[in-house]
Amino acid sequence: MNSTYPDSAEQLLRTLPTGLRIGGQSVPSITGAAFDVTDPATERTLTSVADATVDDALRAVETAHSAASVWAATPTRERSDILRRSYEILVERTDEFAMLMTLELGRALPDSLAEARYGADFLRWFAEEATRINGRVTTSPGGTGQIVVAHEPLGVCLAITPWNFPLAMGTRKIGPALAAGNVMIVKPASETPLTMLALADVLTEAGLPAGVLSVLPTSNAGGVTGAILSDSRVRKVSFTGSTRVGQILLRQAAERVQRTSMELGGNAPFLVFDDADVDAAVEGAFAAKMRNGGEACTAANRFLVHSTIAEEFTTKLTEKMAALRLGAGYDAGVTLGPLISADQRASVAGIVESALASGARLRLGGKIPDGEGFFYPPTVLDQVDAYAPATREEVFGPVAIISTFQTENEAVAAANSTEYGLAAYFYSRDIDRCKRVATALRAGMVGVNRGIISDVAAPFGGVKMSGIGREGGSEGISDYLDSKYIALT
Ligand code: NAD
């Protein structure tokens, strides 16, 4: 064990969850296999976690199926109370969950604290939504009878979550699924299974009946989720992750016509017009770029700045990026942790090299530090062509790529020149321009004069290759309900 861990981390390391969660129990894999979870700051093993096999997956489907009808028939007030209690336990344990996420994900503790609160809030929100699943009754216009529309749970749902928000991407799916009366099997990212296992324990402690939620960490993601989806009792897959894996899951779900929610990759533009408050834009840009150390699908991926204010904007943003303190996320004062893995760091470094090769200017960073851990420094590149290859890829790291524009049309065209459409941001003080540009940007979410847009009460999701469906808000629960039309005389 690393002697430099703070006391709170040392305590957690002695009690890390390591079994699969099936039928309300912590169980080993059928084969007894396990895989390692690594601390990205030291590259050392934190613990080994049970490695679910296809047989474990089938056991989880069986258990989920047998719990489904009882849970669906449980009064919504009772379902709501369990989610609300889970929220309260999570809030009590905010510090513990934040440290756990920092240990397995690497990122700085302040970012983990923010996710601990954000993640808990989805349980509160969907506890509130649970009791407001309303149908409708209308009279047929032809006078032939009554149209009754009821909403029913789907049954067994599969959730597959990414490593970059190990708690919130779970609660954003588990909250609405359980509130709506579904049962769920979660396959967390193999890099960060510990947070999801700890979350399952919180739900059990809050009174969730056995079998309603299973968690299957695995080193065989495709095999395990493929087996689950090949069972026709499974009626939905909700996925957050890369577009490439989303496409595989969409093809698999097509076989049995299972419902899908896909929260996929992004390539968010961040536009700064010449009428913007530059200082506010720099604050917003920093928040939109550096939330979660840049490892967010909503992260500002390309800055498009009017040429007359580009130098001022770039100088000020560079100063803020330079003030970040790089280090192990659990060390006091650190504001930027390591990236999740060596592969992720190589991908970030590759994008920076590609930008430099096509003529970008390096204003900050760009050099991998020596020593252990998957660290990459805060980096700023300007004079990047708005259509350069480096602007086509999702960076997923602390790298700001800055291009310039002359006209609004040029800026909007460049912003929309991507196959993705998750988030977009812009800064302007002209109200007419704000309305025009917000309408013209092809994205599921648009931030106007703000750099942080995530909110449990808002529908989160993308257009184009960024996905299908919405999570959060009242839209989030409808993705877990079927409408049934009952014709009455
Ligand atoms: P990823 O697609 O590699 O992995 C996501 C999850 O899918 C993990 O649990 C992984 O184990 C699993 N997986 C991998 N291969 C699979 C397969 N063949 N079948 C089934 N499951 C499989 O993505 P990542 O690298 O973990 O996460 C980063 C990506 O996630 C980025 O592209 C980012 O934009 C996206 N993301 C999107 C959102 C959103 O809400 N739109 C949120 C966070 C992250």
Side-chain angles (χ1 to χ4, degrees):
M1 192 180 287
N2 182 354
S3 58
T4 63
Y5 285 126
D7 289 348
S8 53
E10 295 274 11
Q11 261 175 28
L12 269 179
L13 288 166
R14 284 192 283 273
T15 56
L16 290 176
T18 54
L20 312 176
R21 294 296 183 279
I22 302 177
Q25 306 285 319
S26 173
V27 294
S29 153
I30 282 173
T31 60
F35 66 91
D36 290 344
V37 182
T38 304
D39 172 359
T42 60
E43 303 179 39
R44 289 179 217 161
T45 301
L46 289 168
T47 189
S48 293
V49 163
D51 193 355
T53 63
V54 165
D55 286 338
D56 292 307
L58 298 178
R59 182 159 58 125
V61 173
E62 195 58 49
T63 308
H65 180 67
S66 54
S69 53
V70 175
W71 183 245
T74 301
T76 54
R77 173 61 66 209
E78 226 173 281
R79 301 203 298 248
S80 168
D81 286 347
I82 291 170
L83 290 173
R84 175 75 199 196
R85 271 199 296 279
S86 310
Y87 159 75
E88 283 159 6
I89 297 171
L90 266 183
V91 169
E92 275 165 29
R93 299 195 195 150
T94 299
D95 291 341
E96 192 185 311
F97 268 83
M99 183 57 82
L100 184 56
M101 286 189 275
T102 282
L103 282 171
E104 61 178 348
L105 172 55
R107 64 157 180 227
L109 207 45
D111 278 319
S112 291
L113 280 165
E115 184 184 348
R117 293 186 196 105
Y118 176 56
D121 217 10
F122 280 110
L123 297 180
R124 174 168 63 172
W125 174 259
F126 286 110
E128 290 160 351
E129 288 292 289
T131 54
R132 299 180 195 1
I133 301 168
N134 298 319
R136 67 186 164 95
V137 182
T138 49
T139 302
S140 154
T144 49
Q146 278 197 322
I147 296 166
V148 175
V149 181
H151 296 300
E152 298 184 339
L154 311 174
V156 182
C157 302
L158 168 65
I160 305 172
T161 55
W163 47 262
N164 63 340
F165 288 99
L167 179 69
M169 296 306 100
T171 54
R172 201 161 79 176
K173 298 180 193 303
I174 295 166
L178 270 46
N182 301 281
V183 296
M184 186 162 245
I185 301 169
V186 184
K187 206 289 301 162
S190 53
E191 295 87 344
T192 56
L194 303 175
T195 305
M196 194 66 74
L197 292 172
L199 173 65
D201 291 344
V202 166
L203 282 145
T204 301
E205 190 182 327
L208 191 71
V212 175
L213 178 70
S214 299
V215 181
L216 299 178
T218 180
S219 61
N220 177 17
V224 162
T225 60
I228 294 172
L229 287 175
S230 65
D231 190 315
S232 55
R233 291 174 296 180
V234 177
R235 295 316 313 151
K236 166 156 184 147
V237 54
S238 174
F239 172 71
T240 297
S242 61
T243 298
R244 182 189 66 81
V245 173
Q247 288 168 320
I248 295 173
L249 293 166
L250 283 167
R251 280 192 283 270
Q252 287 176 348
E255 277 295 311
R256 283 163 193 79
V257 195
Q258 286 144 328
R259 290 268 291 271
T260 58
S261 292
M262 296 282 141
E263 301 287 351
L264 308 177
N267 181 358
F270 189 110
L271 282 55
V272 188
F273 291 97
D274 52 353
D275 55 31
D277 174 339
V278 175
D279 289 334
V282 169
E283 287 297 323
F286 182 75
K289 177 75 252 176
M290 292 313 303
R291 177 180 181 224
N292 220 34
E295 292 178 308
C297 51
T298 49
N301 207 50
R302 310 169 274 149
F303 293 97
L304 294 153
V305 186
H306 194 274
S307 56
T308 55
I309 52 165
E311 185 51 40
E312 182 189 355
F313 174 86
T314 304
T315 303
K316 289 178 170 171
L317 182 62
T318 304
E319 277 166 17
K320 280 191 80 73
M321 298 278 284
L324 284 164
R325 204 175 132 213
L326 188 64
Y330 37 74
D331 283 350
V334 164
T335 46
L336 180 61
L339 297 176
I340 185 73
S341 63
D343 282 354
Q344 189 60 29
R345 180 170 64 179
S347 155
V348 171
I351 291 171
V352 171
E353 277 156 29
S354 147
L356 291 172
S358 58
R361 178 170 59 165
L362 186 65
R363 299 282 293 249
L364 180 72
K367 186 177 177 303
I368 293 176
D370 294 333
E372 63 182 11
F374 309 124
F375 292 98
Y376 196 86
T379 297
V380 179
L381 298 160
D382 73 349
Q383 298 182 353
V384 182
D385 182 280
Y387 294 85
T391 68
R392 307 292 93 191
E393 292 177 59
E394 195 174 20
V395 180
F396 245 61
V399 179
I401 295 177
I402 303 172
S403 311
T404 58
F405 67 85
Q406 313 288 339
T407 67
E408 184 181 306
N409 283 348
E410 190 192 324
V412 169
N416 285 340
S417 69
T418 167
E419 60 194 0
Y420 296 106
L422 188 61
Y425 308 84
F426 70 91
Y427 273 70
S428 165
R429 281 185 285 204
D430 176 338
I431 184 72
D432 291 332
R433 170 172 276 158
C434 287
K435 286 193 273 185
R436 250 190 341 264
V437 175
T439 306
L441 288 172
R442 292 279 297 128
M445 300 172 285
V446 180
V448 184
N449 293 319
R450 53 189 284 190
I452 297 287
I453 52 175
S454 297
D455 192 313
V456 296
F460 186 106
V463 298
K464 301 199 280 183
M465 287 180 80
S466 288
I468 299 169
R470 293 293 179 269
E471 293 187 323
S474 46
E475 290 82 354
I477 205 160
S478 13
D479 268 19
Y480 287 93
L481 290 163
D482 271 331
S483 296
K484 178 182 275 177
Y485 156 45
I486 303 166
L488 293 181
T489 52

